Amino acid sequence: MGYADKINARVENSIVGRYFKVKERNTSFTQELRGGSVTFLTVAYILAVNAGILADTGGICPTNGACPLGPGSIGTAACDDCVANTKRSFISATAAICVIANFLMGIMGNLPLAIAPGMGLNAYFTYTVVGFFGTGMVTYQMALAAVFIEGFIFVFISVIGLRTWLTTIVPKSIWLASSAGIGAFLAFIGLQQAEGLGVVTYNGATAVGLGGCPPGYRNHQYTFSTAQLESACILSDGAAIANPANSGWTPSSNYFCESAGVMRSGQTWLGIAGGMLMAVLLAKNLKGALMVGILFVTFISWIPSSGNHAAYLGSSAGPGGQERLDYFRKVVAVPDTSYTAAQLDFSGFKTGQLWLALITFLYVDFLDCTGTLYSMANFLGLYIPNFIDKKTLQFERQLPAFCVDGVSITVGAVLGTSPVTVFVESASGIREGARTGIAALMISFWFIVSLFFTPLLASIPPYATGPALVLVGAMMVINIVKIDWANIQEAVPAFLTFIVMPLTYSIAYGVIAGIMSWIIINGSVAAWNYVSLKIWGRPDHVEEGSSWKMVRQMTFTLNADRSLQESEALHTFQDPSTRGMKDGDESPSASQAAAEVELGGKSVDTSIPVVDFSAEEASVVKTWRRACIDHGFLYLTNHGIPESLVSEFFEQQHAFFRLPLDQKMTIIQDENNRGYTPYKESTLDPENSKRPDTHEGLYFGREVAADSEEAKLPLHGPNQWPSEDLLPNYRRVTQAYYDAVTALMRRSLHILALSLDLPRDHFDAMFAKPIASLRPLHYRRAAVMGGPAEVASPEDGGFSAGAHTDYGCLTFLMTDGTPGLQICPDGEWVAVPHIRGAFVINLGDMLERWTGGLYRSTLHRVVCTCGKERFSAAFFVEPSFETVVQVFPECLAKGGKSYPPIQSGEYLLGKYRATHSGYSLAKEGHAIAA
Ligand SMILES: O=C(O)CCC(=O)C(=O)O
Ligand SMILES: [Fe+2]
């Protein structure tokens, strides 16, 4: 037993080990220290970056007499001195609050999460609330008072449970666009000169332009008051310009680059090189990529040679360089927060503006922290069994974690910094093995160390941290892909939220633009729909679903495991040439329909095999296997389900879909995704669709009693049936059909197992409690009364059901015979002809993964162009929720590819989230993230 093992065994069995649940969470002391250190490395940039941003407020300098002219005082000795001290104080304050907050997170929350002043929040604090050098709505000291109070309110609303409620009323698109917009805003800051690369500079004609010029080519702006006009130079046309010869006139930090100097600054190019280095390291998934890039640029900038055009220290580095070098030489300094600590000023609460700031802090911080905490908890849940309670959505020590955040916000305000929050970068340490609060204690320890090295940290140049901001922006912007861009009602508010943030240099204005436009657009459309409903009196006239979205919006998305799922999902589309279980004993021509289909004037042979279930078993197995390998589709005839049951079932579905919308809405899909999904509720192919799919539908599952243990699982619970007063036979007939197809499914799973040379009962245990969903569908003829039939138009992104693969194992599809279904087995869309009475069976993603791609989950879609309405019913067969879908060794041996394992239920939830706008996440306990 090595030294580390001995320590680990000791800690695990000690009172400390039990308190932190080291054993239960399947970790070790050294693993925690390593995980915590990695997280520290990824968040350490906050020391320099946060201090850099907050220093733009000027701190107390604009109000304590050192910089009386605001930004105009920059360059005077007293002001520069004050600002330098303030910046150091901000570094110490940032480190100090990180020490305290991470310590509390470790001890009280027992979570391996890093907590530090939030990016975005500090930008809001600096550029919107206080403004550059105090030019905003309130002073730095008043803004701190708002942060102080915010911490208390944060704890309060967490304790009373308001958190969950608030997060559900924010429109999803606004929330997604906010994260992305904050990313764009951060990138904009990182590209400018004050906090970044200096690539983007001021331009009098276009507001911004390409810069990156060395000092000799910079034209600064001068600001002067009317009183100073006399000493200005008056031009012949009467305009006044500053006379630099007059003392006390100082340039703004913004400048315009003469074109001869554009992109000739060594500092800018060094920063760009650092940024590229960071990006490559990130792409290779190396720990501490941002840190390495920042250090790379910093070390080079510290070489105090007159030949170093990228220098930051020393007289050759331009204004302020010598003072920076003097401070740098101290290396170690006693932490000093005297310029920022205990500066609260509560007098601002007499004005409305501070209240507005307070509410915005609360809103932004609340969503930020809630989202991040849930996404991190979700990520941890992948490693720690039962970490999240599926029923209540709560995770272990959730409330203490929220309270730690709130308390730290308040303590942070006393020290002088903007609100703290949980950092998504914690995911890097979790990936490295961090599972408990010990990792957070380790983070706290590293911040203590950094507290004493402020001279070094204060000497990190803005062009070292600027590229990190740009890259963080690049990562945050991922959220916009989840916005429903095809829907104008969502797209416009989302876009405004996103674009207004960087262009107004304000997160709050972006959010306000988004929410206001969302209310106006959605409110007007809803009113319009309502009025036309009253005039024409036909619910058909209403774009169903749109008004319902207003109350059913859910927030959240970005989270680590979701992106993991998505990247895995990509693997399901694979190279057709690698397919095929070449056992050579097949005669492909055996019992094929060889159907000739007319498609756009072209005759296509789909040749989907027909399996006659009444035939001899060996031949059934053989055809089945061939179909799975070649097409992923087959017809099943003589399956034993009486035609009378099928037609009675379809009659009932007709009757249901004919009901007025408000009747159908009474069983709108619930948190288990059971019930009615209105017209245009789903978009099966969000990437290629310009509008949602033109069908309405229903979901029924295996009946699970509400008070049973199983009902705690997502997607499990009682079905929602239409009222018996309206449709007396609906439930009986639909249930009978469900039961009949369930029995057929059991038989088919045996054939499926045999077709893979596996024992007949191979799938039985995995489908002991299947997630088997029956989905009656109605593709409507016309959306607008009196208008033309609504036909699909694939060429401009209009589908009856967008291209998709099914998610589970097998799908049993029955249709009314109206054409529409198409498959894309080999890069070309071909129609699937109707065979009366036969089921169309297709394979889903999970089966493709189980077989290592030997069996295919084929892309298909529905395109109704014949102008008739169409009814169909899909029966999706998926394994029990907990089943882990992992390639069968037998299939690997036959040349199957390996896929990362997935959990059946989790995979489905991810798919439902991505394709159904009305699916409530309320029960998942997963993936609720910022
Ligand atoms: O309606 C159809 O024909 C197919 C429906 C479908 O593919 C699905 O819902 O997954
Ligand atoms: Fe499908």
Side-chain angles (χ1 to χ4, degrees):
M1 203 190 243
Y3 188 62
D5 295 333
K6 273 193 205 132
I7 294 185
N8 285 337
R10 263 251 180 89
V11 174
E12 186 177 306
N13 297 315
S14 69
I15 179 162
V16 174
R18 285 196 297 278
Y19 177 81
F20 288 107
K21 303 195 172 180
V22 169
K23 198 170 180 176
E24 269 173 86
R25 296 194 183 171
N26 194 21
T27 177
S28 69
F29 184 60
T30 48
Q31 184 177 321
E32 291 302 304
L33 299 190
R34 195 174 64 237
S37 302
V38 167
T39 300
F40 172 77
L41 273 183
T42 61
V43 300
Y45 73 90
I46 199 65
L47 289 169
V49 175
N50 187 55
I53 291 179
L54 291 179
D56 278 352
T57 60
I60 56 173
C61 305
T63 48
N64 74 350
C67 308
L69 292 176
S73 316
I74 302 172
T76 62
C79 183
D80 284 0
D81 188 49
C82 180
V83 171
N85 284 327
T86 302
K87 194 159 180 176
R88 284 160 209 158
S89 189
F90 273 128
I91 296 180
S92 296
T94 305
I97 187 57
C98 291
V99 170
I100 297 167
N102 288 289
F103 178 80
L104 291 177
M105 184 56 90
I107 294 289
M108 290 174 58
N110 191 24
L111 293 166
L113 304 181
I115 179 166
M119 293 297 297
L121 284 162
N122 53 12
Y124 176 73
F125 182 96
T126 300
Y127 300 109
T128 305
V129 179
V130 182
F132 187 67
F133 267 71
T135 48
M137 44 188 175
V138 297
T139 65
Y140 166 68
Q141 294 92 323
M142 290 175 187
L144 286 180
V147 176
F148 182 82
I149 305 277
E150 187 226 323
F152 285 107
I153 302 180
F154 195 90
V155 172
F156 178 72
I157 58 178
S158 299
V159 171
I160 64 168
L162 209 63
R163 196 192 51 222
T164 327
W165 179 77
L166 266 181
T167 50
T168 55
I169 60 163
V170 183
K172 176 184 169 189
S173 48
I174 305 288
W175 179 223
L176 291 170
S178 297
S179 320
I182 291 173
F185 181 33
L186 289 177
F188 191 40
I189 294 172
L191 287 169
Q192 294 188 42
Q193 67 279 8
E195 259 336 298
L197 292 162
V199 167
V200 174
T201 51
Y202 167 75
N203 182 304
T206 58
V208 286
L210 185 63
C213 52
Y217 297 91
R218 295 175 187 174
N219 294 294
H220 289 266
Q221 291 173 279
Y222 287 80
T223 311
F224 50 89
S225 64
T226 325
Q228 293 170 314
L229 255 180
E230 292 155 23
S231 51
C233 302
I234 306 298
L235 300 178
S236 55
D237 65 358
I241 59 160
N243 179 355
N246 292 310
S247 62
W249 290 48
T250 48
S252 70
S253 68
N254 257 311
Y255 51 78
F256 165 71
C257 280
E258 284 169 21
S259 56
V262 165
M263 291 313 281
R264 287 183 57 190
S265 154
Q267 297 180 334
T268 296
W269 280 111
L270 176 62
I272 292 173
M276 292 297 111
L277 174 65
M278 292 178 206
V280 171
L281 298 180
L282 279 174
K284 295 308 295 175
N285 211 5
L286 291 186
K287 311 282 179 291
L290 299 185
M291 206 58 212
V292 171
I294 292 174
L295 293 180
F296 166 77
V297 175
T298 302
F299 287 145
I300 295 180
S301 76
W302 282 354
I303 302 170
S305 134
S306 58
N308 181 2
H309 294 294
Y312 189 58
L313 306 176
S315 51
S316 67
Q322 190 53 45
E323 295 83 70
R324 287 197 292 266
L325 181 60
D326 294 342
Y327 184 60
F328 172 81
R329 288 207 170 107
K330 290 187 186 160
V331 179
V332 178
V334 180
D336 176 9
T337 58
S338 59
Y339 274 71
T340 57
Q343 299 289 352
L344 312 182
D345 172 2
F346 290 91
S347 66
F349 281 105
K350 284 184 286 217
T351 73
Q353 298 215 298
L354 196 58
W355 286 103
L356 180 69
L358 170 61
I359 289 166
T360 313
F361 279 141
L362 198 59
Y363 168 78
V364 177
D365 198 18
F366 185 77
L367 295 182
D368 192 332
C369 177
T370 309
T372 313
L373 256 179
Y374 273 116
S375 68
M376 289 301 113
N378 184 30
F379 195 46
L380 265 179
L382 290 179
Y383 301 102
I384 308 172
N386 304 322
F387 181 69
I388 302 168
D389 184 319
K390 298 224 159 89
K391 190 83 186 172
T392 60
L393 279 192
Q394 309 280 308
F395 54 87
E396 281 178 40
R397 307 264 198 116
Q398 173 174 312
L399 191 55
F402 271 107
C403 293
V404 166
D405 195 291
V407 168
S408 305
I409 290 169
T410 296
V411 178
V414 175
L415 287 165
T417 129
S418 55
V420 300
T421 187
V422 175
F423 266 51
V424 277
E425 283 85 347
S426 313
S428 57
I430 295 174
R431 231 174 248 162
E432 196 70 19
R435 304 283 178 269
T436 72
I438 298 175
L441 296 183
M442 189 67 191
I443 299 170
S444 174
F445 167 79
W446 282 120
F447 276 114
I448 294 178
V449 174
S450 63
L451 205 43
F452 292 92
F453 290 93
T454 38
L456 294 188
L457 295 166
S459 305
I460 295 177
Y463 45 93
T465 49
L469 292 184
V470 177
L471 293 178
V472 170
M475 289 181 242
M476 290 180 79
V477 91
I478 186 172
N479 286 293
I480 54 175
V481 302
K482 292 158 192 156
I483 292 167
D484 180 6
W485 291 109
N487 178 350
I488 291 290
Q489 287 164 251
E490 299 295 326
V492 171
F495 184 71
L496 287 176
T497 309
F498 173 78
I499 200 74
V500 168
M501 278 185 193
L503 295 189
T504 59
Y505 232 63
S506 158
I507 293 157
Y509 294 148
V511 172
I512 290 169
I515 290 184
M516 299 287 275
S517 60
W518 194 90
I519 292 172
I520 293 169
I521 297 170
N522 285 276
S524 307
V525 170
W528 187 318
N529 288 344
Y530 180 80
V531 169
S532 48
L533 174 70
K534 285 282 161 210
I535 295 174
W536 286 291
R538 284 261 300 269
D540 239 12
H541 194 68
V542 183
E543 293 275 304
E544 296 168 30
S546 54
S547 51
W548 279 85
K549 274 192 202 151
M550 292 167 72
V551 284
R552 295 181 63 89
Q553 290 290 358
M554 283 297 301
T555 50
F556 306 137
T557 18
L558 175 99
N559 66 74
D561 93 305
R562 175 76 189 283
S563 44
L564 215 72
Q565 279 182 6
E566 280 169 358
S567 60
E568 282 170 15
L570 286 177
H571 293 289
T572 59
F573 299 96
Q574 45 162 317
D575 176 7
S577 64
T578 61
R579 292 178 197 285
M581 193 194 281
K582 309 258 181 303
D583 44 5
D585 61 350
E586 308 292 337
S587 67
S589 60
S591 81
Q592 287 184 350
E596 289 284 318
V597 193
E598 279 296 314
L599 187 82
K602 197 165 146 207
S603 189
V604 188
D605 176 8
T606 59
S607 308
I608 296 175
V610 179
V611 174
D612 176 355
F613 234 17
S614 64
E616 207 189 312
E617 188 171 270
S619 107
V620 168
V621 169
K622 204 166 151 184
T623 322
W624 188 288
R625 177 189 302 151
R626 182 38 68 197
C628 293
I629 294 170
D630 288 345
H631 293 82
F633 268 80
L634 58 90
Y635 293 102
L636 191 67
T637 57
N638 293 318
H639 43 68
I641 297 183
E643 228 180 298
S644 57
L645 175 56
V646 175
S647 57
E648 216 187 334
F649 167 73
F650 271 94
E651 266 165 37
Q652 292 301 321
Q653 306 317 320
H654 269 254
F656 175 82
F657 289 120
R658 289 278 175 275
L659 290 177
L661 176 62
D662 53 350
Q663 298 283 4
K664 293 187 272 193
M665 280 299 195
T666 59
I667 57 163
I668 181 93
Q669 80 210 109
D670 60 11
E671 79 271 23
N672 297 316
N673 205 32
R674 288 167 186 230
Y676 174 62
T677 59
Y679 184 60
K680 291 196 174 180
E681 183 271 346
S682 70
T683 312
L684 287 172
D685 180 14
E687 225 162 81
N688 298 308
S689 301
K690 293 232 177 81
R691 54 163 169 74
D693 297 342
T694 52
H695 63 253
E696 57 184 334
L698 284 155
Y699 273 110
F700 297 102
R702 191 159 46 79
E703 200 64 67
V704 173
D707 54 0
S708 67
E709 201 44 37
E710 224 194 328
K712 291 183 181 166
L713 284 173
L715 305 173
H716 288 65
N719 282 315
Q720 298 200 80
W721 297 102
S723 142
E724 301 226 323
D725 298 338
L726 289 169
L727 302 173
N729 295 316
Y730 185 89
R731 180 172 181 168
R732 177 183 60 78
V733 173
T734 304
Q735 186 68 55
Y737 181 84
Y738 185 96
D739 295 341
V741 188
T742 303
L744 186 61
M745 157 195 105
R746 299 251 170 244
R747 216 178 130 197
S748 304
L749 285 172
H750 291 165
I751 299 297
L752 178 66
L754 293 174
S755 81
L756 287 161
D757 296 327
L758 295 167
R760 176 185 296 272
D761 62 358
H762 187 79
F763 287 105
D764 289 6
M766 301 170 217
F767 287 81
K769 297 191 162 180
I771 310 179
S773 317
L774 173 62
R775 178 148 175 74
L777 290 161
H778 174 216
Y779 299 85
R780 295 198 322 184
R781 185 178 62 82
V784 180
M785 193 200 69
E790 179 155 309
V791 291
S793 49
E795 51 295 333
D796 56 56
F799 300 99
S800 311
H804 65 283
T805 53
D806 287 353
Y807 317 142
C809 183
L810 296 174
T811 303
F812 293 74
L813 179 74
M814 188 60 84
T815 78
D816 66 351
T818 311
L821 180 63
Q822 300 180 343
I823 66 172
C824 184
D826 300 299
E828 207 175 350
W829 286 104
V830 288
V832 177
H834 179 63
I835 296 183
R836 195 186 154 87
F839 275 102
V840 172
I841 295 184
N842 65 295
L843 316 187
D845 300 342
M846 292 190 209
L847 193 56
E848 180 165 291
R849 298 178 82 102
W850 254 330
T851 60
L854 297 180
Y855 279 10
R856 35 188 325 195
S857 169
T858 300
L859 206 58
H860 57 281
R861 66 183 187 188
V862 180
V863 175
C864 295
T865 47
C866 68
K868 259 175 73 183
E869 65 182 338
R870 178 175 185 271
F871 290 86
S872 70
F875 184 85
F876 301 111
V877 175
E878 282 125 19
S880 318
F881 192 90
E882 307 290 358
T883 304
V884 174
V885 176
Q886 203 161 7
V887 186
F888 295 139
E890 294 83 353
C891 293
L892 276 179
K894 282 185 176 147
K897 295 205 292 193
S898 67
Y899 288 78
I902 51 165
Q903 199 211 32
S904 166
E906 294 289 346
Y907 186 75
L908 281 178
L909 290 172
K911 289 291 191 179
Y912 283 140
R913 273 196 300 266
T915 53
H916 287 272
S917 67
Y919 173 45
S920 155
L921 303 182
K923 199 182 170 188
E924 291 185 26
H926 312 249
I928 300 196

